[in-house]
């Protein structure tokens, strides 16, 4: 076969030739390489001859009394042939993963405020890229979501450090560190303040919370600042909390994930980080269990959406 090169000087080489070449180099024998490949020895010899011709005609192997060994040219070629074949294997794996992501299943869960903006934006992007994936979603508190993850009923869960859930046992993919706000009625004395507030300034306020006890909730941050918030109204649903705040019945803590959904008759005041350390938000998967291609694709969409959360 005549020596042929592409116009850019790259040798016109078959990947089959490289595969055969590597088998011969690995075994030091045309016979053993042929046996491994399921070919005849003469077929292996023809592939090597074709490769030698394409690379300039010099021999790639010295023939010995028993077997062969690479020439200097052959030794130079080995790592390049390995790199080409590994690159092709890698491309095959990535394309297979892409096909699996495109036609697979995604089961995920998220806590309520993550569903306000983070999850919808991520899911919209994911849907646009993988329209054939079957998606199911669960909403719940972090401990419940982790239980579903353990049981194999979720592939991924969006969780937070609120509630002191035992996150150490999971593979955590950091999404954002979330700032906190205080929601007050539009007519509240602090409503017009430009700068942030300290939670201690609201120590005497009535608070609206999802639990009568601050432990395990966002209000835990107030306990660390030397006062115990007086929970006047226990309201679980975020829209209802806003109604109570707007009516002047109390104030409430609002995470950054929910800040964009605040109604116009409620004012948000940024809480100083030293008074209320940011809570962390993660995508959790089971440690030791490789996430599915669909879960990895959704994780990428979550990271993109998290980068756009205001006040993060």
């Amino acid at each position: 076969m005549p020596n042929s090169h592409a116009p850019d000087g790259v040798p016109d080489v078959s990947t089959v030739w490289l595969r055969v070449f590597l088998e011969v180099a690995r075994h030091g024998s045309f016979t053993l390489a042929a046996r491994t490949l399921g070919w005849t020895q003469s077929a292996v010899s023809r592939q090597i001859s074709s490769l030698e011709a394409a690379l300039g005609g010099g021999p790639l192997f010295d023939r010995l009394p028993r077997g062969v060994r690479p020439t200097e040219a052959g030794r130079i070629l080995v790592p390049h042939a390995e790199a080409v074949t590994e690159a092709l294997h890698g491309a095959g794996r990535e394309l297979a993963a892409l096909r699996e992501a495109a036609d697979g299943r995604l089961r995920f869960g998220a806590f309520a405020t993550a569903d306000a903006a983070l999850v919808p934006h991520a899911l919209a992007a994911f849907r646009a890229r993988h329209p054939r994936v079957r998606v199911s979603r669960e909403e719940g508190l972090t401990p419940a979501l982790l239980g579903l993850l353990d049981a194999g009923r979720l592939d991924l869960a969006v969780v937070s450090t609120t509630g002191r859930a035992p996150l150490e046992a999971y593979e955590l993919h950091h999404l954002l560190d979330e700032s906190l706000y205080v929601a007050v009625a539009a007519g509240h004395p602090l409503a017009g303040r430009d700068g942030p507030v300290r939670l201690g300034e609201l120590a005497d306020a009535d608070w609206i919370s999802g639990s009568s006890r601050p432990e395990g909730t966002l209000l835990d941050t107030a306990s660390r600042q030397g006062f115990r918030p007086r929970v006047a109204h226990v309201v679980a649903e975020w829209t209802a909390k806003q109604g109570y705040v707007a009516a002047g019945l109390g104030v409430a803590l609002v995470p950054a994930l929910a800040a964009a959904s605040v109604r116009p008759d409620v004012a948000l005041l940024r809480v100083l980080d030293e008074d209320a350390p940011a809570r962390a938000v993660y995508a959790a998967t089971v440690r030791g269990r490789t996430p599915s291609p669909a879960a990895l694709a959704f994780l990428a969409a979550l990271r993109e959406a998290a980068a756009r959360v205001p006040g993060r």
Side-chain angles (χ1 to χ4, degrees):
M1 177 180 292
N3 182 21
S4 62
H5 289 74
D8 59 2
V10 177
D12 188 6
V13 171
S14 165
T15 55
V16 175
W17 300 344
L18 294 178
R19 180 188 173 199
V20 173
F21 166 76
L22 287 174
E23 288 297 334
V24 174
R26 190 172 295 126
H27 292 287
S29 166
F30 278 53
T31 302
L32 291 178
R35 189 176 303 162
T36 301
L37 294 166
W39 293 9
T40 64
Q41 183 174 334
S42 60
V44 168
S45 296
R46 286 195 300 272
Q47 301 298 317
I48 295 300
S49 296
S50 296
L51 179 60
E52 289 172 336
L55 294 176
L60 295 173
F61 293 100
D62 287 325
R63 273 63 173 176
L64 305 174
R66 299 184 63 180
V68 297
R69 68 182 174 197
T71 61
E72 181 65 20
R75 288 192 291 273
I76 291 173
L77 181 60
V78 165
H80 297 288
E82 290 174 338
V84 170
T85 54
E86 178 54 35
L88 289 172
H89 287 150
R93 289 191 295 268
E94 290 185 25
L95 290 170
L98 182 62
R99 288 191 297 271
E100 187 177 342
D103 298 308
R105 177 183 65 173
L106 172 67
R107 303 166 304 166
F108 77 92
F111 60 94
T113 49
D115 273 337
L118 174 66
V119 168
H121 289 152
L123 189 55
F126 178 83
R127 280 290 201 191
R129 297 166 189 166
H130 307 287
R132 295 195 301 273
V133 172
R134 304 184 305 279
V135 177
S136 61
R137 183 188 67 85
E138 296 278 350
E139 183 177 296
L141 299 177
T142 290
L145 295 174
L146 294 176
L148 293 174
L149 202 59
D150 287 334
R153 293 171 56 187
L154 295 179
D155 304 307
L156 176 149
V158 180
V159 299
S160 79
T161 50
T162 302
R164 306 175 186 175
L167 299 176
E168 299 81 9
Y170 301 89
E171 194 72 36
L172 299 178
H173 311 270
H174 183 260
L175 297 176
L176 57 95
D177 291 319
E178 194 178 16
S179 299
L180 295 179
Y181 297 84
V182 177
V184 300
H188 191 280
L190 292 177
R193 179 182 289 192
D194 293 331
V197 298
R198 296 179 182 275
L199 285 184
E201 297 179 60
L202 295 157
D204 296 329
D206 287 337
W207 286 85
I208 299 157
S209 177
S211 170
S212 60
R213 298 172 57 83
E215 291 80 11
T217 72
L218 292 175
L219 278 178
D220 226 357
T221 56
S223 302
R224 295 197 293 272
Q225 297 306 311
F227 76 96
R228 185 177 181 83
R230 183 174 63 251
V231 177
H233 302 282
V234 177
V235 181
E237 207 274 321
W238 170 234
T239 303
K241 283 182 183 178
Q242 292 189 66
Y244 275 69
V245 171
L249 296 173
V251 300
L253 277 181
V254 179
L257 286 174
S261 62
V262 170
R263 48 194 279 176
D265 53 357
V266 171
L268 290 184
L269 307 173
R270 182 76 172 263
V271 177
L272 281 176
D273 286 345
E274 62 184 86
D275 282 355
R279 71 171 177 177
V281 177
Y282 300 98
T285 55
V286 175
R287 183 169 294 166
R289 186 186 304 168
T290 302
S292 68
L296 291 174
F298 186 57
L299 174 59
L302 282 168
R303 284 177 168 148
E304 293 170 11
R308 297 193 296 271
V309 172
R312 56 193 290 272

